[in-house]
Amino acid sequence: MAPTLYMSEISPSCRAVLMTARILGLTLKVKKMDLSKQEQFSPNFLKINPQHTIPTLCDNGFIIWDSHAIIAFLVGKYGNDDQLYSKDIMERALIDQRLHFDSSVVNNFTRTILNPMLYNNAHISVDEHRESILKTYALMEKFLRSYPWIAGKKLTIADLSLIPSITSLDVIVPISREDYPNLTKWIEKAERLPCYVENENGLNLLRDLLSCRCCCPC
Ligand SMILES: N[C@@H](CCC(=O)N[C@@H](CS)C(=O)NCC(=O)O)C(=O)O
């Protein structure tokens, strides 16, 4: 039976799972959640995930949440090889470092900026966060100085995790090609991947929602 993914395309973390599933050729049974209706707090969903976050995956009764844990699990269970998540100790350590960088730094902006804007109608001053976002771009730029992909010569789950997070941040603080040439090239390379379509759909939705938030007097 296909694993069930509780998700919303707007969420960068969910898009990381969709991209990974696409690259693995894995079909997921998708259950869309509307966070603006607070569906994550429904008693049924809280039974599955008391932390009430999406993405959450249910695979034959095995439940796991947090996109980073989910994509590592999917590659381990459904991947034909370890290309996306090397078993070599040092290669894997670098991938893990980048995954934790996403989790603790880049993806964290989703919680502090995007989600309050989208779901709590909160007025967030992007200017207050601009400096730390630019610092994040500068770090990514440095990581990409030595390698074409974020954790080495090959595409890995660290790229699949960071691409949705960074492209979502780009919607609120655009990435300057002049200041961040390596970061720009990495995004352009990612856009050419067949699995990128799974990021594009949600990213466009996010753009539309945020532009509406900026012009509506509501
Ligand atoms: N680090 C987590 C972040 C998950 C997360 O915060 N998801 C947000 C949507 S982007 C969510 O479910 N928010 C609803 C809530 O926390 O109640 C991951 O990578 O899965």
Side-chain angles (χ1 to χ4, degrees):
M1 204 168 45
T4 301
L5 180 71
Y6 296 84
M7 57 79 75
S8 156
E9 280 169 313
I10 300 165
S11 151
S13 314
C14 295
R15 283 183 255 132
V17 178
L18 294 175
M19 285 177 78
T20 306
R22 168 70 72 120
I23 227 169
L24 293 173
L26 174 68
T27 304
L28 296 171
K29 187 173 161 203
V30 161
K31 289 213 173 159
K32 290 202 181 183
M33 309 265 300
D34 187 344
L35 299 189
S36 68
K37 295 189 179 142
Q38 305 225 314
E39 287 179 0
Q40 76 271 32
F41 296 112
S42 74
N44 281 346
F45 188 65
L46 285 174
K47 266 188 225 151
I48 297 170
N49 175 356
Q51 204 184 333
H52 51 81
T53 54
I54 52 169
T56 293
L57 185 89
C58 179
D59 186 5
N60 260 310
F62 174 69
I63 294 161
I64 183 89
W65 59 89
D66 190 289
S67 59
H68 310 88
I70 294 173
I71 61 181
F73 167 76
L74 290 180
V75 171
K77 182 160 180 196
Y78 296 101
N80 293 328
D81 51 41
D82 64 358
Q83 286 273 330
L84 288 169
Y85 194 30
S86 174
K87 289 199 173 85
D88 174 274
I89 290 176
M90 279 186 286
E91 285 177 6
R92 184 173 278 230
L94 193 60
I95 298 168
D96 287 340
Q97 184 272 318
R98 304 303 202 228
L99 288 172
H100 287 290
F101 175 73
D102 181 48
S103 197
S104 60
V105 180
V106 192
N107 192 256
N108 205 33
F109 289 116
T110 307
R111 292 197 79 85
T112 53
I113 308 178
L114 289 179
N115 290 354
M117 272 174 157
L118 291 171
Y119 307 120
N120 304 93
N121 248 331
H123 178 76
I124 302 286
S125 158
V126 172
D127 280 338
E128 276 174 28
H129 297 273
R130 193 176 304 276
E131 204 181 315
S132 44
I133 293 175
L134 292 178
K135 196 174 156 200
T136 303
Y137 293 163
L139 281 169
M140 293 281 296
E141 179 69 18
K142 281 190 186 141
F143 298 165
L144 288 158
R145 240 183 234 160
S146 333
Y147 308 113
W149 293 102
I150 203 67
K153 292 190 188 138
K154 291 175 295 187
L155 175 87
T156 68
I157 54 171
D159 298 285
L160 299 175
S161 190
L162 279 157
I163 285 160
S165 306
I166 285 285
T167 53
S168 301
L169 266 190
D170 176 52
V171 175
I172 49 172
V173 177
I175 296 170
S176 137
R177 172 179 273 275
E178 287 72 40
D179 295 339
Y180 310 106
N182 295 327
L183 184 55
T184 308
K185 267 186 245 152
W186 172 73
I187 293 173
E188 287 170 353
K189 220 156 21 136
E191 285 169 350
R192 292 194 291 273
L193 295 170
C195 68
Y196 188 81
V197 66
E198 301 290 354
N199 187 45
E200 203 161 35
N201 298 337
L203 193 59
N204 288 337
L205 264 173
L206 177 71
R207 265 196 207 103
D208 291 349
L209 277 173
L210 287 181
S211 68
C212 171
R213 285 281 183 283
C214 297
C215 18
C216 291
C218 44

